[in-house]
Amino acid sequence: MPLTDKQKRFVDEYLVDLNATQAAIRAGYSEKTARSVGSENLTKPDIADAIAAKAANTVDKLDLSAERVLRGLFEEANRLGEGSSHGARVQAWGLLGKYHSLFTDKIEGNIRIDVTVTDARSKLERLIARQAGAGANPVGAGKPH
């Protein structure tokens, strides 16, 4: 189903700042209903498809491929002389490293715990007793399974 003129304006305005409420207001919807209309518009398949198509077209026009972005970062990381800054170089190197997963935050652990059936049962009984003491009546409390 073709979009109405107001819906077409909504699509264009939504791509400005990705704010559905403000896009609805700028497209001519009432300020009182803009929040619900904006949210509703995003769920309509025809509008969602139009937004996706226009966004993809914008990316194509700007040539925002991963290769181009990485090339730009690499050039910035190596730029020296007029117009360059140490901070920009460091940030570019950091983004390149992040893209290539060189700086992942990892926590490695080698934990081994031996738990016997007796230990597990004892702990479970203590937990059930604690719940019963707090006024809770757990299903099957006190009954062995």
Side-chain angles (χ1 to χ4, degrees), residues 73-89:
L73 285 170
F74 185 75
E75 289 170 5
E76 183 64 38
N78 288 294
R79 181 172 292 146
L80 296 172
E82 182 139 354
S84 69
S85 75
H86 175 73
R89 285 191 303 277

Side-chain angles (χ1 to χ4, degrees), residues 118-131:
T118 306
D119 292 338
R121 183 181 184 115
S122 173
K123 182 156 181 117
L124 181 59
E125 287 173 349
R126 285 194 308 270
L127 288 171
I128 290 171
R130 188 180 313 152
Q131 281 186 335

Side-chain angles (χ1 to χ4, degrees), residues 6-57:
K6 201 179 268 192
Q7 289 172 329
K8 289 177 188 174
R9 283 196 312 272
F10 174 82
V11 169
D12 292 337
E13 294 296 338
Y14 180 73
L15 289 170
V16 169
D17 57 7
L18 304 180
N19 183 319
T21 301
Q22 291 304 311
I25 292 168
R26 292 190 303 260
Y29 292 95
S30 161
E31 285 192 35
K32 290 182 181 179
T33 61
R35 184 171 187 217
S36 61
V37 168
S39 179
E40 180 184 332
N41 276 350
L42 293 177
T43 66
K44 294 180 179 178
D46 292 339
I47 293 176
D49 290 345
I51 290 170
K54 278 203 167 215
N57 188 31

Side-chain angles (χ1 to χ4, degrees), residues 97-113:
K98 184 175 180 181
Y99 177 81
H100 290 288
S101 300
L102 298 175
F103 313 121
T104 57
D105 293 331
K106 293 183 193 176
I107 298 174
E108 294 184 23
N110 186 7
I111 301 170
R112 182 170 178 236
I113 299 175

Side-chain angles (χ1 to χ4, degrees), residues 56-77:
N57 188 31
T58 300
V59 167
D60 288 343
K61 279 183 185 177
L62 295 174
D63 187 24
L64 287 178
S65 65
E67 181 182 342
R68 180 159 187 249
V69 171
L70 291 171
R71 192 176 328 115
L73 285 170
F74 185 75
E75 289 170 5
E76 183 64 38

